[in-house]
Every structure is written in structure tokens, then in C-alpha cells.
PDB file of all heavy atoms in Angstrom:
ATOM      1  N   ALA A   1      80.396  83.274 105.000  1.00  0.00           N
ATOM      2  CA  ALA A   1      81.170  84.509 104.935  1.00  0.00           C
ATOM      3  C   ALA A   1      81.597  84.982 106.368  1.00  0.00           C
ATOM      4  O   ALA A   1      82.686  85.387 106.491  1.00  0.00           O
ATOM      5  CB  ALA A   1      80.541  85.517 104.137  1.00  0.00           C
ATOM      6  N   VAL A   2      80.545  85.077 107.145  1.00  0.00           N
ATOM      7  CA  VAL A   2      80.920  85.554 108.533  1.00  0.00           C
ATOM      8  C   VAL A   2      81.819  84.739 109.335  1.00  0.00           C
ATOM      9  O   VAL A   2      82.704  85.226 109.975  1.00  0.00           O
ATOM     10  CB  VAL A   2      79.454  85.766 109.327  1.00  0.00           C
ATOM     11  CG1 VAL A   2      79.758  86.033 110.820  1.00  0.00           C
ATOM     12  CG2 VAL A   2      78.694  86.927 108.761  1.00  0.00           C
ATOM     13  N   ILE A   3      81.627  83.358 109.209  1.00  0.00           N
ATOM     14  CA  ILE A   3      82.571  82.574 109.861  1.00  0.00           C
ATOM     15  C   ILE A   3      83.963  82.622 109.262  1.00  0.00           C
ATOM     16  O   ILE A   3      84.921  82.682 110.046  1.00  0.00           O
ATOM     17  CB  ILE A   3      82.012  81.047 109.803  1.00  0.00           C
ATOM     18  CG1 ILE A   3      80.860  80.906 110.688  1.00  0.00           C
ATOM     19  CG2 ILE A   3      83.154  79.985 110.171  1.00  0.00           C
ATOM     20  CD1 ILE A   3      80.045  79.603 110.416  1.00  0.00           C
ATOM     21  N   ALA A   4      84.171  82.780 108.041  1.00  0.00           N
ATOM     22  CA  ALA A   4      85.375  82.935 107.316  1.00  0.00           C
ATOM     23  C   ALA A   4      86.112  84.105 107.734  1.00  0.00           C
ATOM     24  O   ALA A   4      87.256  84.199 108.084  1.00  0.00           O
ATOM     25  CB  ALA A   4      85.305  82.830 105.862  1.00  0.00           C
ATOM     26  N   ALA A   5      85.317  85.346 107.902  1.00  0.00           N
ATOM     27  CA  ALA A   5      85.866  86.569 108.200  1.00  0.00           C
ATOM     28  C   ALA A   5      86.456  86.572 109.688  1.00  0.00           C
ATOM     29  O   ALA A   5      87.424  87.068 109.986  1.00  0.00           O
ATOM     30  CB  ALA A   5      84.850  87.736 108.021  1.00  0.00           C
ATOM     31  N   THR A   6      85.592  85.934 110.538  1.00  0.00           N
ATOM     32  CA  THR A   6      85.912  85.773 111.915  1.00  0.00           C
ATOM     33  C   THR A   6      87.178  84.879 112.128  1.00  0.00           C
ATOM     34  O   THR A   6      88.043  85.343 112.883  1.00  0.00           O
ATOM     35  CB  THR A   6      84.791  85.221 112.841  1.00  0.00           C
ATOM     36  OG1 THR A   6      83.587  85.993 112.678  1.00  0.00           O
ATOM     37  CG2 THR A   6      85.105  85.141 114.196  1.00  0.00           C
ATOM     38  N   TRP A   7      87.217  83.828 111.408  1.00  0.00           N
ATOM     39  CA  TRP A   7      88.483  83.056 111.555  1.00  0.00           C
ATOM     40  C   TRP A   7      89.662  83.695 111.116  1.00  0.00           C
ATOM     41  O   TRP A   7      90.684  83.710 111.625  1.00  0.00           O
ATOM     42  CB  TRP A   7      88.131  81.744 110.631  1.00  0.00           C
ATOM     43  CG  TRP A   7      89.346  80.836 110.697  1.00  0.00           C
ATOM     44  CD1 TRP A   7      89.797  80.030 111.721  1.00  0.00           C
ATOM     45  CD2 TRP A   7      90.284  80.538 109.543  1.00  0.00           C
ATOM     46  NE1 TRP A   7      90.866  79.308 111.308  1.00  0.00           N
ATOM     47  CE2 TRP A   7      91.212  79.588 110.074  1.00  0.00           C
ATOM     48  CE3 TRP A   7      90.389  81.037 108.323  1.00  0.00           C
ATOM     49  CZ2 TRP A   7      92.177  79.113 109.240  1.00  0.00           C
ATOM     50  CZ3 TRP A   7      91.384  80.599 107.527  1.00  0.00           C
ATOM     51  CH2 TRP A   7      92.316  79.549 107.959  1.00  0.00           C
ATOM     52  N   MET A   8      89.610  84.440 109.829  1.00  0.00           N
ATOM     53  CA  MET A   8      90.816  85.155 109.372  1.00  0.00           C
ATOM     54  C   MET A   8      91.132  86.286 110.353  1.00  0.00           C
ATOM     55  O   MET A   8      92.373  86.480 110.577  1.00  0.00           O
ATOM     56  CB  MET A   8      90.426  85.719 108.034  1.00  0.00           C
ATOM     57  CG  MET A   8      90.345  84.631 107.035  1.00  0.00           C
ATOM     58  SD  MET A   8      89.891  85.296 105.301  1.00  0.00           S
ATOM     59  CE  MET A   8      91.237  86.450 104.988  1.00  0.00           C
ATOM     60  N   TRP A   9      90.219  86.976 111.023  1.00  0.00           N
ATOM     61  CA  TRP A   9      90.529  88.067 111.892  1.00  0.00           C
ATOM     62  C   TRP A   9      91.162  87.481 113.114  1.00  0.00           C
ATOM     63  O   TRP A   9      92.209  88.041 113.664  1.00  0.00           O
ATOM     64  CB  TRP A   9      89.264  88.747 112.238  1.00  0.00           C
ATOM     65  CG  TRP A   9      89.437  89.855 113.298  1.00  0.00           C
ATOM     66  CD1 TRP A   9      90.014  91.097 113.176  1.00  0.00           C
ATOM     67  CD2 TRP A   9      89.130  89.704 114.703  1.00  0.00           C
ATOM     68  NE1 TRP A   9      89.978  91.678 114.351  1.00  0.00           N
ATOM     69  CE2 TRP A   9      89.422  90.905 115.221  1.00  0.00           C
ATOM     70  CE3 TRP A   9      88.488  88.666 115.501  1.00  0.00           C
ATOM     71  CZ2 TRP A   9      89.366  91.215 116.617  1.00  0.00           C
ATOM     72  CZ3 TRP A   9      88.355  88.844 116.804  1.00  0.00           C
ATOM     73  CH2 TRP A   9      88.762  90.166 117.371  1.00  0.00           C
ATOM     74  N   ALA A  10      90.719  86.373 113.649  1.00  0.00           N
ATOM     75  CA  ALA A  10      91.354  85.792 114.856  1.00  0.00           C
ATOM     76  C   ALA A  10      92.701  85.214 114.534  1.00  0.00           C
ATOM     77  O   ALA A  10      93.583  85.088 115.544  1.00  0.00           O
ATOM     78  CB  ALA A  10      90.469  84.597 115.278  1.00  0.00           C
ATOM     79  N   LYS A  11      93.083  84.943 113.366  1.00  0.00           N
ATOM     80  CA  LYS A  11      94.320  84.281 113.063  1.00  0.00           C
ATOM     81  C   LYS A  11      95.487  85.383 113.065  1.00  0.00           C
ATOM     82  O   LYS A  11      96.647  85.185 113.131  1.00  0.00           O
ATOM     83  CB  LYS A  11      94.396  83.608 111.730  1.00  0.00           C
ATOM     84  CG  LYS A  11      93.837  82.295 111.830  1.00  0.00           C
ATOM     85  CD  LYS A  11      94.051  81.491 110.569  1.00  0.00           C
ATOM     86  CE  LYS A  11      95.553  81.249 110.556  1.00  0.00           C
ATOM     87  NZ  LYS A  11      95.975  80.154 109.761  1.00  0.00           N
ATOM     88  N   GLN A  12      95.124  86.672 112.870  1.00  0.00           N
ATOM     89  CA  GLN A  12      96.129  87.754 112.901  1.00  0.00           C
ATOM     90  C   GLN A  12      96.659  87.870 114.195  1.00  0.00           C
ATOM     91  O   GLN A  12      96.115  87.987 115.153  1.00  0.00           O
ATOM     92  CB  GLN A  12      95.482  89.034 112.396  1.00  0.00           C
ATOM     93  CG  GLN A  12      95.062  89.037 110.893  1.00  0.00           C
ATOM     94  CD  GLN A  12      94.411  90.336 110.452  1.00  0.00           C
ATOM     95  OE1 GLN A  12      94.220  91.284 111.284  1.00  0.00           O
ATOM     96  NE2 GLN A  12      94.082  90.380 109.206  1.00  0.00           N
ATOM     97  N   PRO A  13      98.064  88.011 114.233  1.00  0.00           N
ATOM     98  CA  PRO A  13      98.665  88.113 115.541  1.00  0.00           C
ATOM     99  C   PRO A  13      98.472  89.593 116.064  1.00  0.00           C
ATOM    100  O   PRO A  13      98.284  90.536 115.494  1.00  0.00           O
ATOM    101  CB  PRO A  13     100.175  88.021 115.198  1.00  0.00           C
ATOM    102  CG  PRO A  13     100.370  88.419 113.822  1.00  0.00           C
ATOM    103  CD  PRO A  13      99.011  87.969 113.135  1.00  0.00           C
ATOM    104  N   ASP A  14      98.460  89.648 117.490  1.00  0.00           N
ATOM    105  CA  ASP A  14      98.325  90.904 118.115  1.00  0.00           C
ATOM    106  C   ASP A  14      99.699  91.676 117.993  1.00  0.00           C
ATOM    107  O   ASP A  14     100.710  91.030 118.243  1.00  0.00           O
ATOM    108  CB  ASP A  14      97.946  90.756 119.610  1.00  0.00           C
ATOM    109  CG  ASP A  14      96.590  90.255 119.768  1.00  0.00           C
ATOM    110  OD1 ASP A  14      95.710  90.616 118.929  1.00  0.00           O
ATOM    111  OD2 ASP A  14      96.307  89.596 120.771  1.00  0.00           O
ATOM    112  N   TYR A  15      99.774  92.920 117.687  1.00  0.00           N
ATOM    113  CA  TYR A  15     100.939  93.651 117.579  1.00  0.00           C
ATOM    114  C   TYR A  15     101.099  94.425 118.834  1.00  0.00           C
ATOM    115  O   TYR A  15     100.132  95.065 119.364  1.00  0.00           O
ATOM    116  CB  TYR A  15     100.913  94.548 116.356  1.00  0.00           C
ATOM    117  CG  TYR A  15     101.306  93.687 115.115  1.00  0.00           C
ATOM    118  CD1 TYR A  15     100.395  92.827 114.571  1.00  0.00           C
ATOM    119  CD2 TYR A  15     102.638  93.777 114.506  1.00  0.00           C
ATOM    120  CE1 TYR A  15     100.705  92.080 113.388  1.00  0.00           C
ATOM    121  CE2 TYR A  15     103.006  93.039 113.411  1.00  0.00           C
ATOM    122  CZ  TYR A  15     102.024  92.249 112.925  1.00  0.00           C
ATOM    123  OH  TYR A  15     102.397  91.494 111.779  1.00  0.00           O
ATOM    124  N   THR A  16     102.360  94.468 119.328  1.00  0.00           N
ATOM    125  CA  THR A  16     102.676  95.325 120.523  1.00  0.00           C
ATOM    126  C   THR A  16     103.872  96.337 120.218  1.00  0.00           C
ATOM    127  O   THR A  16     104.661  95.969 119.317  1.00  0.00           O
ATOM    128  CB  THR A  16     103.144  94.295 121.637  1.00  0.00           C
ATOM    129  OG1 THR A  16     102.023  93.377 121.956  1.00  0.00           O
ATOM    130  CG2 THR A  16     103.403  95.052 123.028  1.00  0.00           C
ATOM    131  N   VAL A  17     104.014  97.345 120.956  1.00  0.00           N
ATOM    132  CA  VAL A  17     104.986  98.367 120.662  1.00  0.00           C
ATOM    133  C   VAL A  17     106.337  97.659 121.002  1.00  0.00           C
ATOM    134  O   VAL A  17     106.611  97.206 122.038  1.00  0.00           O
ATOM    135  CB  VAL A  17     104.734  99.505 121.673  1.00  0.00           C
ATOM    136  CG1 VAL A  17     105.919 100.562 121.550  1.00  0.00           C
ATOM    137  CG2 VAL A  17     103.436 100.256 121.299  1.00  0.00           C
ATOM    138  N   LEU A  18     107.200  97.799 119.975  1.00  0.00           N
ATOM    139  CA  LEU A  18     108.635  97.421 120.144  1.00  0.00           C
ATOM    140  C   LEU A  18     109.434  98.691 120.718  1.00  0.00           C
ATOM    141  O   LEU A  18     110.109  98.500 121.674  1.00  0.00           O
ATOM    142  CB  LEU A  18     109.152  96.947 118.723  1.00  0.00           C
ATOM    143  CG  LEU A  18     110.615  96.601 118.739  1.00  0.00           C
ATOM    144  CD1 LEU A  18     110.947  95.312 119.596  1.00  0.00           C
ATOM    145  CD2 LEU A  18     111.096  96.416 117.333  1.00  0.00           C
ATOM    146  N   PHE A  19     109.272  99.795 119.985  1.00  0.00           N
ATOM    147  CA  PHE A  19     109.940 100.995 120.411  1.00  0.00           C
ATOM    148  C   PHE A  19     108.985 102.106 119.964  1.00  0.00           C
ATOM    149  O   PHE A  19     108.287 102.043 118.937  1.00  0.00           O
ATOM    150  CB  PHE A  19     111.374 101.199 119.778  1.00  0.00           C
ATOM    151  CG  PHE A  19     112.306 100.182 120.209  1.00  0.00           C
ATOM    152  CD1 PHE A  19     112.866  99.263 119.393  1.00  0.00           C
ATOM    153  CD2 PHE A  19     112.861 100.326 121.564  1.00  0.00           C
ATOM    154  CE1 PHE A  19     113.774  98.384 119.857  1.00  0.00           C
ATOM    155  CE2 PHE A  19     113.779  99.273 121.906  1.00  0.00           C
ATOM    156  CZ  PHE A  19     114.274  98.384 121.143  1.00  0.00           C
ATOM    157  N   SER A  20     109.162 103.306 120.744  1.00  0.00           N
ATOM    158  CA  SER A  20     108.327 104.451 120.381  1.00  0.00           C
ATOM    159  C   SER A  20     109.323 105.652 120.605  1.00  0.00           C
ATOM    160  O   SER A  20     110.358 105.657 121.180  1.00  0.00           O
ATOM    161  CB  SER A  20     107.065 104.558 121.154  1.00  0.00           C
ATOM    162  OG  SER A  20     107.465 104.761 122.541  1.00  0.00           O
ATOM    163  N   ASN A  21     108.881 106.722 119.959  1.00  0.00           N
ATOM    164  CA  ASN A  21     109.659 108.058 120.119  1.00  0.00           C
ATOM    165  C   ASN A  21     111.184 107.962 119.698  1.00  0.00           C
ATOM    166  O   ASN A  21     111.955 108.283 120.301  1.00  0.00           O
ATOM    167  CB  ASN A  21     109.517 108.559 121.570  1.00  0.00           C
ATOM    168  CG  ASN A  21     108.119 108.924 122.007  1.00  0.00           C
ATOM    169  OD1 ASN A  21     107.370 109.346 121.191  1.00  0.00           O
ATOM    170  ND2 ASN A  21     107.806 108.607 123.176  1.00  0.00           N
ATOM    171  N   LEU A  22     111.319 107.246 118.522  1.00  0.00           N
ATOM    172  CA  LEU A  22     112.588 106.955 117.985  1.00  0.00           C
ATOM    173  C   LEU A  22     113.058 108.128 117.128  1.00  0.00           C
ATOM    174  O   LEU A  22     112.256 108.884 116.555  1.00  0.00           O
ATOM    175  CB  LEU A  22     112.676 105.709 117.251  1.00  0.00           C
ATOM    176  CG  LEU A  22     112.466 104.480 117.903  1.00  0.00           C
ATOM    177  CD1 LEU A  22     112.220 103.333 116.830  1.00  0.00           C
ATOM    178  CD2 LEU A  22     113.571 104.161 118.764  1.00  0.00           C
ATOM    179  N   THR A  23     114.368 108.327 117.004  1.00  0.00           N
ATOM    180  CA  THR A  23     114.877 109.298 115.989  1.00  0.00           C
ATOM    181  C   THR A  23     114.586 108.670 114.623  1.00  0.00           C
ATOM    182  O   THR A  23     114.387 107.429 114.427  1.00  0.00           O
ATOM    183  CB  THR A  23     116.269 109.638 116.183  1.00  0.00           C
ATOM    184  OG1 THR A  23     117.032 108.456 115.988  1.00  0.00           O
ATOM    185  CG2 THR A  23     116.589 110.200 117.562  1.00  0.00           C
ATOM    186  N   ASP A  24     114.670 109.473 113.633  1.00  0.00           N
ATOM    187  CA  ASP A  24     114.406 109.041 112.218  1.00  0.00           C
ATOM    188  C   ASP A  24     115.500 107.969 111.948  1.00  0.00           C
ATOM    189  O   ASP A  24     115.353 106.975 111.250  1.00  0.00           O
ATOM    190  CB  ASP A  24     114.445 110.125 111.130  1.00  0.00           C
ATOM    191  CG  ASP A  24     113.239 110.992 111.263  1.00  0.00           C
ATOM    192  OD1 ASP A  24     112.179 110.435 111.829  1.00  0.00           O
ATOM    193  OD2 ASP A  24     113.214 112.093 110.772  1.00  0.00           O
ATOM    194  N   ARG A  25     116.747 108.250 112.245  1.00  0.00           N
ATOM    195  CA  ARG A  25     117.927 107.394 112.044  1.00  0.00           C
ATOM    196  C   ARG A  25     117.664 106.081 112.698  1.00  0.00           C
ATOM    197  O   ARG A  25     117.952 105.055 112.113  1.00  0.00           O
ATOM    198  CB  ARG A  25     119.154 108.141 112.542  1.00  0.00           C
ATOM    199  CG  ARG A  25     120.465 107.224 112.229  1.00  0.00           C
ATOM    200  CD  ARG A  25     121.685 107.937 112.736  1.00  0.00           C
ATOM    201  NE  ARG A  25     122.727 107.527 111.848  1.00  0.00           N
ATOM    202  CZ  ARG A  25     123.603 108.398 111.195  1.00  0.00           C
ATOM    203  NH1 ARG A  25     123.440 109.557 111.307  1.00  0.00           N
ATOM    204  NH2 ARG A  25     124.417 107.835 110.387  1.00  0.00           N
ATOM    205  N   ASP A  26     117.478 106.043 113.999  1.00  0.00           N
ATOM    206  CA  ASP A  26     117.158 104.813 114.647  1.00  0.00           C
ATOM    207  C   ASP A  26     116.108 104.010 114.140  1.00  0.00           C
ATOM    208  O   ASP A  26     116.100 102.763 113.960  1.00  0.00           O
ATOM    209  CB  ASP A  26     116.941 105.034 116.170  1.00  0.00           C
ATOM    210  CG  ASP A  26     118.124 105.284 116.993  1.00  0.00           C
ATOM    211  OD1 ASP A  26     119.274 104.994 116.524  1.00  0.00           O
ATOM    212  OD2 ASP A  26     118.054 105.724 118.095  1.00  0.00           O
ATOM    213  N   GLY A  27     115.062 104.724 113.846  1.00  0.00           N
ATOM    214  CA  GLY A  27     113.832 104.020 113.246  1.00  0.00           C
ATOM    215  C   GLY A  27     114.160 103.357 111.966  1.00  0.00           C
ATOM    216  O   GLY A  27     113.703 102.218 111.667  1.00  0.00           O
ATOM    217  N   GLY A  28     114.931 104.034 111.031  1.00  0.00           N
ATOM    218  CA  GLY A  28     115.391 103.531 109.702  1.00  0.00           C
ATOM    219  C   GLY A  28     116.168 102.231 109.928  1.00  0.00           C
ATOM    220  O   GLY A  28     116.048 101.336 109.186  1.00  0.00           O
ATOM    221  N   GLU A  29     117.174 102.417 110.881  1.00  0.00           N
ATOM    222  CA  GLU A  29     117.908 101.171 111.173  1.00  0.00           C
ATOM    223  C   GLU A  29     117.172 100.088 111.792  1.00  0.00           C
ATOM    224  O   GLU A  29     117.514  98.766 111.343  1.00  0.00           O
ATOM    225  CB  GLU A  29     119.202 101.586 111.983  1.00  0.00           C
ATOM    226  CG  GLU A  29     120.159 102.597 111.426  1.00  0.00           C
ATOM    227  CD  GLU A  29     121.277 102.983 112.342  1.00  0.00           C
ATOM    228  OE1 GLU A  29     121.446 102.375 113.474  1.00  0.00           O
ATOM    229  OE2 GLU A  29     122.053 103.940 112.062  1.00  0.00           O
ATOM    230  N   ILE A  30     116.311 100.370 112.487  1.00  0.00           N
ATOM    231  CA  ILE A  30     115.562  99.220 113.191  1.00  0.00           C
ATOM    232  C   ILE A  30     114.655  98.585 112.077  1.00  0.00           C
ATOM    233  O   ILE A  30     114.637  97.358 112.066  1.00  0.00           O
ATOM    234  CB  ILE A  30     114.603  99.713 114.325  1.00  0.00           C
ATOM    235  CG1 ILE A  30     115.580  99.956 115.521  1.00  0.00           C
ATOM    236  CG2 ILE A  30     113.685  98.697 114.713  1.00  0.00           C
ATOM    237  CD1 ILE A  30     114.964 100.758 116.634  1.00  0.00           C
ATOM    238  N   ILE A  31     114.025  99.419 111.238  1.00  0.00           N
ATOM    239  CA  ILE A  31     113.228  98.764 110.213  1.00  0.00           C
ATOM    240  C   ILE A  31     114.058  97.978 109.227  1.00  0.00           C
ATOM    241  O   ILE A  31     113.664  96.877 108.871  1.00  0.00           O
ATOM    242  CB  ILE A  31     112.406  99.920 109.368  1.00  0.00           C
ATOM    243  CG1 ILE A  31     111.442 100.517 110.386  1.00  0.00           C
ATOM    244  CG2 ILE A  31     111.776  99.314 108.124  1.00  0.00           C
ATOM    245  CD1 ILE A  31     110.383  99.657 110.900  1.00  0.00           C
ATOM    246  N   ALA A  32     115.265  98.465 108.878  1.00  0.00           N
ATOM    247  CA  ALA A  32     116.167  97.647 108.060  1.00  0.00           C
ATOM    248  C   ALA A  32     116.579  96.357 108.705  1.00  0.00           C
ATOM    249  O   ALA A  32     116.452  95.290 107.955  1.00  0.00           O
ATOM    250  CB  ALA A  32     117.383  98.506 107.682  1.00  0.00           C
ATOM    251  N   SER A  33     116.798  96.379 109.862  1.00  0.00           N
ATOM    252  CA  SER A  33     117.144  95.158 110.661  1.00  0.00           C
ATOM    253  C   SER A  33     115.964  94.206 110.708  1.00  0.00           C
ATOM    254  O   SER A  33     116.017  92.890 110.445  1.00  0.00           O
ATOM    255  CB  SER A  33     117.587  95.466 112.020  1.00  0.00           C
ATOM    256  OG  SER A  33     117.970  94.234 112.758  1.00  0.00           O
TER     257      SER A  33
END
């Protein structure tokens, strides 16, 4: 169980900031895209 959990955790990609401090309109359009 520990090995499986570690393997699954390691497979998840690292997420990085694409954009921050967006207006609601820009955020909605970016998410839709």
C-alpha cells in the first residue's frame, strides 16, 4: 500500500502558475479555452 501510494503520488504532474490576478472575465475565457 505504501509503495502504491508513493508511485501514484510521484506520477502526478507538478502544476505551475499560468496566470494570476486575472479579472473574472479573463479567467472565465481562459478556463473555457
